[in-house]
């Protein structure tokens, strides 16, 4: 079996090695800098814009991160040894324009070329989000997107609880919570972000306390107010995605109109007895809540969960799906539920999907956003945020 020295000598015969000046010139003209150091090494800094794939994960991840085999790649490690072996591997995989940086990152720094931490994750973050970093579809770049993202939760009840927990655990950097209610003993059957010690406490404060204990990376903003036409624009305008856990129609229609006006996607969820539904209403790409339901039903035909009841675990499933959809939107990952309504029947343990279409008669559209006037619905149930769901 060949020794490491023999493997390195063979690699050096097959690959092209360049000095830092040549490497910098290649990067300036569009080459990709591929950093094959381990995560604990990159915590000390890296070349800004470099793609990080640890040498041990190269064969598993490179084809999803570097999709053009003809693109010029400058491979960098700490001192120039692992990069030579990695360059040989890339050539064997069909990459046709690969060079290794002689002296590695150390030589780059010593030459006085630009580098920085580039927002690199800390060692604690690498440990916390390690399973994300192992996913080529997420990786360090995706985790940084999550840490930089802002998600607003409407309601800290049955749907908001699991959504908040999983979004916080995933490392969404800013989470806002709108809820004017306080924790009640009847909430604890399903609103798992609260506990007995918090009965009588504002839900937003209870949820914030749980999130802080779960993940100190998260900046939590609390809004103990009722969502209505007078405050909705101010509440949602600073956020990238809205997770709708409201339990009443006035809040949903006010949210719809404001989100359409601002072009912010909404991950909608609702629950009733043993059934839940989820969809994504992105006003710039597909139908919205008013396309699905142009007008609200009468109050007697749409009782809330306090009247109709709900299976306690059901909102955990629906809220978790909402969290997944929010993360997909942040990462531009997969196929979100835009134009699709997902129905979950817990008694039959069955998922059904229905297509949603844009209603040509709907006047509240993104194209007409300048004409949208946000008003509260009259004659409906009181617009209290998620006191029961």
């Amino acid at each position: 079996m060949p020794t490491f020295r023999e493997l390195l000598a063979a690699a050096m015969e097959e690959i092209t090695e360049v000095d830092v000046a040549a490497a910098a010139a290649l990067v300036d003209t569009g080459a990709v800098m591929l950093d094959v150091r381990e995560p604990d090494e990159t915590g000390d800094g890296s070349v800004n814009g470099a793609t990080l794939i640890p040498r041990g994960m190269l064969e598993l991840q490179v084809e999803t991160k570097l999709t053009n085999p003809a693109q010029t790649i400058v491979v960098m490690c700490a001192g120039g040894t692992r990069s030579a072996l990695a360059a040989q591997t890339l050539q064997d995989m069909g990459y046709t324009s690969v060079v290794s940086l002689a002296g590695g990152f150390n030589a780059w720094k010593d030459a006085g070329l630009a580098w920085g931490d580039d927002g690199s994750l800390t060692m604690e973050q690498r440990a916390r989000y390690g399973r994300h970093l192992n996913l080529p579809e997420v990786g360090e770049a995706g985790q940084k997107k999550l840490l930089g993202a802002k998600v607003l939760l409407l309601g800290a009840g049955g749907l908001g609880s699991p959504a908040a927990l999983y979004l916080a655990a995933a490392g969404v950097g800013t989470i806002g919570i709108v809820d004017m209610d306080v924790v009640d003993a009847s909430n604890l059957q399903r609103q798992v972000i609260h506990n007995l010690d918090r009965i009588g406490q504002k839900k937003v404060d209870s949820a914030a306390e749980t999130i802080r204990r779960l993940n100190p990376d998260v900046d939590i903003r609390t809004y103990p107010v009722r969502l209505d036409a007078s405050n909705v624009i101010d509440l949602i305008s600073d956020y990238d995605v809205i997770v709708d856990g409201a339990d009443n129609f006035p809040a949903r229609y006010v949210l719809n109109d404001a989100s359409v006006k601002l072009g912010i996607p909404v991950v909608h969820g609702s629950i009733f007895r043993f059934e839940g539904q989820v969809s994504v209403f992105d006003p710039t790409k597909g139908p919205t809540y008013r396309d699905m339901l142009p007008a609200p039903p009468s109050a007697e035909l749409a009782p809330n969960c306090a009247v109709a009841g709900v299976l306690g675990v059901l909102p955990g499933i629906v809220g978790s799906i909402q969290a997944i959809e929010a993360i997909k939107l942040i990462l531009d990952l997969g196929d979100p539920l835009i134009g699709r309504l997902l129905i979950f029947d817990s008694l039959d343990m069955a998922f059904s999907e229905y297509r949603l279409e844009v209603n040509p008669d709907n006047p509240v559209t993104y194209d007409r956003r300048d004409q949208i006037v946000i008003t509260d619905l009259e004659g409906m149930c009181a617009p209290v945020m998620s006191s029961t769901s």
Side-chain angles (χ1 to χ4, degrees):
M1 187 174 195
T3 66
F4 178 78
R5 289 179 180 275
E6 291 171 335
L7 291 173
L8 179 59
M12 296 299 290
E13 292 180 0
E14 294 184 18
I15 61 98
T16 300
E17 193 173 47
V18 298
D19 61 18
V20 290
L26 288 172
V27 171
D28 287 343
T29 56
V32 174
M33 177 68 83
L34 173 61
D35 190 338
V36 296
R37 292 177 297 160
E38 295 301 313
D40 59 341
E41 298 175 283
T42 59
D44 295 330
S46 185
V47 177
N48 292 339
T51 297
L52 172 64
I53 306 177
R55 175 65 190 90
M57 301 295 291
L58 185 63
E59 291 88 339
L60 293 175
Q61 296 187 3
V62 67
E63 291 179 325
T64 61
K65 291 191 175 184
L66 302 179
T67 58
N68 181 3
Q71 185 171 22
T72 300
I73 301 170
V74 178
V75 188
M76 178 186 73
C77 65
T81 300
R82 283 168 292 170
S83 61
L85 296 170
Q88 181 188 40
T89 298
L90 291 174
Q91 289 180 172
D92 292 343
M93 294 178 69
Y95 289 85
T96 59
S97 181
V98 184
V99 299
S100 173
L101 172 58
F105 182 56
N106 295 332
W108 185 279
K109 288 196 299 182
D110 292 344
L113 296 173
W115 64 280
D117 63 14
D118 196 25
S120 294
L121 304 179
T122 65
M123 291 304 298
E124 292 80 6
Q125 289 172 327
R126 292 185 184 281
R128 177 183 291 273
Y129 308 120
R131 299 303 186 273
H132 275 176
L133 302 182
N134 289 341
L135 290 171
E137 297 84 355
V138 181
E140 182 163 359
Q143 190 60 54
K144 289 177 183 177
K145 282 185 180 180
L146 290 171
L147 288 165
K150 298 178 181 179
V151 175
L152 181 67
L153 300 171
L154 297 188
L159 298 177
S161 289
L165 289 171
Y166 277 108
L167 290 171
V172 171
T174 301
I175 294 178
I177 309 172
V178 181
D179 199 313
M180 66 172 293
D181 204 359
V182 298
V183 180
D184 182 81
S186 65
N187 302 147
L188 303 182
Q189 168 246 17
R190 65 208 171 279
Q191 299 181 19
V192 293
I193 206 166
H194 312 299
N195 60 45
L196 279 170
D197 294 336
R198 313 248 183 89
I199 290 176
Q201 185 177 359
K202 291 179 181 178
K203 284 187 178 179
V204 292
D205 293 337
S206 172
E209 184 177 343
T210 300
I211 292 172
R212 288 190 185 100
R213 293 184 178 185
L214 175 63
N215 191 350
D217 285 342
V218 180
D219 175 26
I220 308 160
R221 303 176 183 177
T222 58
Y223 309 97
V225 298
R226 182 179 69 189
L227 183 80
D228 60 29
S230 69
N231 61 21
V232 63
I233 292 292
D234 290 337
L235 286 171
I236 75 171
S237 60
D238 192 36
Y239 290 89
D240 305 308
V241 179
I242 314 298
V243 174
D244 175 17
D247 68 348
N248 64 87
F249 288 105
R252 290 173 186 160
Y253 282 93
V254 165
L255 171 62
N256 174 83
D257 295 355
S259 67
V260 172
K261 190 175 185 70
L262 297 178
I264 302 173
V266 173
V267 182
H268 166 75
S270 64
I271 51 176
F272 183 74
R273 290 171 56 82
F274 301 99
E275 186 176 282
Q277 64 181 33
V278 184
S279 188
V280 172
F281 299 124
D282 186 337
T284 67
K285 296 180 180 178
T288 67
Y289 189 75
R290 281 190 183 270
D291 291 309
M292 181 180 75
L293 199 63
S298 60
E300 60 271 15
L301 294 179
N304 62 26
C305 295
V307 176
V310 62
L311 185 67
V313 73
L314 175 66
I317 297 169
V318 175
S320 296
I321 294 174
Q322 288 181 276
I324 291 174
E325 290 298 301
I327 289 171
K328 286 164 59 181
L329 291 174
I330 293 167
L331 298 180
D332 191 20
L333 186 65
D335 185 15
L337 288 169
I338 297 173
R340 297 186 289 154
L341 179 67
L342 185 69
I343 305 291
F344 173 57
D345 185 334
S346 63
L347 292 183
D348 290 338
M349 196 51 66
F351 285 90
S352 304
E353 184 178 302
Y354 299 90
R355 298 298 304 178
L356 298 177
E357 302 292 342
V358 172
N359 179 1
D361 297 325
N362 176 15
V364 183
T365 66
Y366 186 68
D367 290 340
R368 302 188 188 104
R369 57 190 178 278
D370 293 339
Q371 303 172 35
I372 295 175
V373 178
I374 301 169
T375 58
D376 291 313
L377 293 181
E378 301 294 338
M380 297 288 295
C381 53
V384 176
M385 288 303 309
S386 288
S387 60
T388 56
S389 63

